Amino acid sequence: MDYVQLGGSDIRASRLCVGCMSFGDPASKMHAWTLDPQKSEEIIRHALELGINFFDTANTYSAGTSEEYLGRAIKNNVSRDKVVLASKVYFNEGHLSQTAILREINGTLRRLGTDYLDLYIIHRFDSDTPVEETMEALHSLVKAGKVRALGASAMYGYQFCQLQMCAKDHGWTPFVSMQNHYNLLYREDERELIPICDQMHVARTPYSPLAAGRLARPEWSADTLRSRTDKVAASKYDSTQESDRRIVKRVQELAEKYAATMTQIALAWQFAKGVTSPIIGATKAEYFDDAAGALNITLAAEDVSYLEELYVPHRVVGAL
């Protein structure tokens, strides 16, 4: 496993991040495919054995049980200071108001069983709360030692710039990472958000790097519980299936050329585009073995161009 500095922070994160939305109680009715505590811990343990130290969850994933399962697995398998734990706030009462942030961080820490979070991420931009209120509240968590660094997720470039400038103007803690929606089938953030992140030396940790599996297999759909029930993924990708299948075909062609898997080619493209640590959500431990193989592949410039050539503009998905 390779490691890299997370933006301007002192956090050393693995080049792959475990997305923990797959862990949690299905009874929460968020997703039907989430894994129970034992299976979640097996996958987390395997990721740790591969050298992955970066784990991402959220306060609302499976009604908080994702945080509980992750915290339990970390306590049973590794010292707290050996891992980078990230969680998110927004899809809760009050969104990013001061009251909500101060309330939600305590719930997150309690469920994770830790007294600090390495990375606290705002899940979206809150148009109903003054940015000064949000940034001051987040800064107070850093000052109090409850949070080491701040991150943001899925928003428009101008919104992210507004938040960063607010922090700069007031001497508050800025964001060091951006968790945006980015893959070979969805590249809209290349217009504004990604250039802003690069200019501000913000680490990029995109979610859905494999387009919910569509970049990991030749066929568009799979006969799995997630594929059959994931309406969110279907809403993101299926309306552009006709044009995007041609890109998937090219991923398959390059996988054959490099004697690699399609997953590895799709992730190697991410690394070629300057991504710090893509978030891998998995329900099977061996998926992380596959993903780790991408670190051994360096795509030629002509291969990157070949993968990107057929892309057409998509509707914006992610930013509210």
Side-chain angles (χ1 to χ4, degrees):
M1 184 53 54
D2 297 333
Y3 302 87
V4 67
Q5 213 78 9
L6 198 63
S9 73
D10 60 354
I11 296 172
R12 293 285 290 177
S14 51
R15 294 302 304 275
L16 294 175
C17 177
V18 176
C20 298
M21 192 170 67
S22 299
F23 312 144
D25 187 352
S28 68
K29 298 182 179 181
M30 180 175 183
H31 297 299
W33 69 86
T34 53
L35 304 179
D36 64 26
Q38 180 179 346
K39 292 180 179 177
S40 298
E41 183 167 345
E42 289 173 1
I43 290 180
I44 292 167
R45 184 186 305 115
H46 188 70
L48 290 167
E49 290 170 352
L50 288 173
I52 298 174
N53 72 347
F54 191 6
F55 297 85
D56 173 83
T57 184
N59 60 343
T60 53
Y61 286 172
S62 295
T65 58
S66 172
E67 291 178 327
E68 292 175 2
Y69 293 6
L70 174 60
R72 193 178 311 168
I74 293 301
K75 183 178 180 179
N76 291 342
N77 291 276
V78 67
S79 299
R80 172 65 183 89
D81 62 347
K82 301 298 183 183
V83 293
V84 177
L85 297 184
S87 194
K88 298 186 281 293
V89 58
Y90 173 83
F91 292 106
N92 44 255
E93 182 183 352
H95 296 311
L96 299 182
S97 67
Q98 180 187 48
T99 299
I101 288 172
L102 298 183
R103 178 189 67 238
E104 293 299 322
I105 186 61
N106 290 331
T108 284
L109 294 178
R110 183 181 67 255
R111 288 186 292 271
L112 283 169
T114 182
D115 56 3
Y116 72 96
L117 204 60
D118 296 284
L119 184 66
Y120 203 29
I121 301 166
I122 57 170
H123 219 151
R124 293 295 186 271
F125 182 85
D126 183 1
S127 298
D128 297 324
T129 301
V131 294
E132 292 83 3
E133 179 179 342
T134 294
M135 296 309 296
E136 185 174 21
L138 292 171
H139 178 66
S140 73
L141 300 183
V142 177
K143 288 179 62 179
K146 292 185 176 182
V147 172
R148 292 178 64 193
L150 302 175
S153 177
M155 60 185 63
Y156 293 107
Y158 79 91
Q159 294 171 329
F160 185 58
C161 192
Q162 184 180 3
L163 292 164
Q164 290 287 70
M165 290 301 99
C166 175
K168 180 180 180 180
D169 290 345
H170 292 84
W172 295 331
T173 306
F175 297 109
V176 301
S177 69
M178 167 56 67
Q179 185 182 132
N180 63 314
H181 181 204
Y182 189 55
N183 56 57
L184 273 164
L185 306 185
Y186 184 84
R187 295 167 44 203
E188 296 308 297
D189 284 349
E190 290 179 354
R191 303 173 187 273
E192 298 288 346
L193 182 60
I194 288 175
I196 290 171
C197 289
D198 291 346
Q199 183 181 45
M200 295 182 173
H201 306 291
V202 170
R204 290 189 279 122
T205 64
Y207 66 86
S208 199
L210 301 175
R214 287 158 178 79
L215 289 166
R217 56 181 183 256
E219 62 280 358
W220 189 258
S221 300
D223 187 22
T224 64
L225 180 59
R226 178 168 186 175
S227 293
R228 293 193 301 270
T229 62
D230 194 342
K231 296 181 180 179
V232 174
S235 69
K236 289 179 182 177
Y237 301 114
D238 287 359
S239 64
T240 54
Q241 177 181 169
E242 184 177 349
S243 62
D244 289 348
R245 283 177 72 99
R246 297 183 298 160
I247 299 173
V248 174
K249 179 64 176 176
R250 291 197 171 190
V251 174
Q252 183 183 11
E253 291 173 13
L254 285 187
E256 295 172 358
K257 172 183 175 179
Y258 280 86
T261 66
M262 292 177 64
T263 289
Q264 290 165 358
I265 295 300
L267 293 179
W269 174 83
Q270 295 262 344
F271 295 134
K273 302 297 288 186
V275 163
T276 299
S277 184
I279 295 173
I280 311 298
T283 53
K284 295 181 180 179
E286 58 263 32
Y287 290 164
F288 286 108
D289 296 313
D290 190 6
L295 297 169
N296 300 319
I297 299 173
T298 301
L299 295 177
E302 56 266 29
D303 293 327
V304 172
S305 297
Y306 184 67
L307 290 169
E308 297 178 353
E309 183 181 14
L310 299 178
Y311 184 80
V312 296
H314 287 51
R315 66 183 178 90
V316 175
V317 178
L320 295 176

